[in-house]
Amino acid sequence: DAGVTQSPTHLIKTRGQQVTLRCSPKSGHDTVSWYQQALGQGPQFIFQYYEEEERQRGNFPDRFSGHQFPNYSSELNVNALLLGDSALYLCASSLTSGWDEQFFGPGTRLTVL
Amino acid sequence: GDSVTQMEGPVTLSEEAFLTINCTYTATGYPSLFWYVQYPGEGLQLLLKATKADDKGSNKGFEATYRKETTSFHLEKGSVQVSDSAVYFCALSERNRDDKIIFGKGTRLHILP
């Protein structure tokens, strides 16, 4: 079992651009959550997807959107990138919505110049 | 709103020393409390949890007790090893409210041989 995988590993974009990050959940998991982790900070919850719908959302603007596919994989899209969007983006998968059931991926490091 | 406050790091200890990492929280309801760990180069993983007052979570020699009267969930280990070097995050969630998870900023732990 490959666990949770994310792509790409690193990404460099410029302000105003759009970015798409991808996540494949652990085998058997149907729920995917996304987090933003700024340098020196803890992860901040962006949103959670289940059955291809956004189930919960944190305090992030509409520039952050997502999608879940029938195979449970997920994408995070960020439009109109700002310098402050530079962070490590973590994906976590679980079989339920329970926070103690999450398995995290290694993350995608996004740098906005 | 809900919040989690952790002691700032880095914390540097010698092998076999006693470890305490302080965590206090603010919540309006009855949250579940978690400790996550992030080893170098790896994804975040759940270390232990407690779901109600006076519960003690334990794993890999680490313990934390849910103290409602002091709103604390301090992480302890009696004898640390070099392999315990990592970043530790305290977190809470309130399932009966908006069911989001909130992380502290993390505490980096260095164990010297």
Side-chain angles (χ1 to χ4, degrees):
Chain A
D1 182 4
V4 179
T5 60
Q6 294 186 242
S7 63
T9 306
H10 296 88
L11 203 52
I12 298 175
K13 292 286 188 178
T14 56
R15 281 178 298 174
Q17 285 189 310
Q18 179 264 343
V19 68
T20 298
L21 310 182
R22 295 176 177 82
C23 172
S24 291
K26 182 177 170 63
S27 177
H29 285 183
D30 59 7
T31 302
V32 174
S33 301
W34 285 93
Y35 297 84
Q36 181 194 67
Q37 187 177 11
L39 199 61
Q41 303 293 315
Q44 283 198 288
F45 173 69
I46 302 175
F47 41 55
Q48 183 180 80
Y49 275 83
Y50 171 71
E51 291 189 341
E52 302 180 49
E53 291 194 1
E54 184 182 291
R55 180 159 61 180
Q56 289 288 346
R57 188 179 182 93
N59 296 325
F60 279 80
D62 292 344
R63 298 187 297 111
F64 289 77
S65 63
H67 188 77
Q68 186 178 35
F69 299 93
N71 67 352
Y72 307 123
S73 67
S74 177
E75 290 181 347
L76 165 65
N77 300 292
V78 187
N79 294 323
L81 285 168
L82 304 174
L83 296 180
D85 295 331
S86 295
L88 181 69
Y89 287 84
L90 299 171
C91 169
S93 74
S94 58
L95 186 54
T96 69
S97 64
W99 302 111
D100 55 342
E101 304 287 338
Q102 295 186 105
F103 286 77
F104 282 81
T108 294
R109 173 72 63 186
L110 172 64
T111 301
V112 182
L113 302 177
Chain B
D2 294 359
S3 66
V4 174
T5 303
Q6 291 181 235
M7 64 187 291
E8 293 205 11
V11 174
T12 302
L13 297 172
S14 297
E15 205 165 24
E16 299 183 2
F18 183 87
L19 168 72
T20 300
I21 299 179
N22 291 336
C23 171
T24 56
Y25 67 90
T26 302
T28 53
Y30 301 93
S32 294
L33 302 173
F34 310 90
W35 277 101
Y36 281 81
V37 59
Q38 191 169 34
Y39 296 106
E42 297 185 18
L44 210 63
Q45 54 187 277
L46 179 69
L47 180 60
L48 54 82
K49 67 172 182 177
T51 57
K52 61 184 187 297
D54 300 325
D55 267 3
K56 178 184 284 189
S58 61
N59 187 24
K60 299 182 180 180
F62 291 89
E63 293 183 339
T65 301
Y66 190 142
R67 301 284 189 201
K68 194 171 191 308
E69 63 276 14
T70 55
T71 62
S72 65
F73 193 55
H74 305 322
L75 183 68
E76 297 181 335
K77 186 174 185 182
S79 176
V80 293
Q81 307 299 313
V82 172
S83 58
D84 294 327
S85 297
V87 182
Y88 293 81
F89 294 92
C90 186
L92 72 79
S93 71
E94 291 199 74
R95 179 173 286 275
N96 292 331
R97 292 186 67 231
D98 53 16
D99 197 22
K100 297 169 188 172
I101 186 165
I102 297 170
F103 285 84
K105 292 185 176 181
T107 303
R108 184 173 296 277
L109 175 66
H110 293 290
I111 305 300
L112 304 175

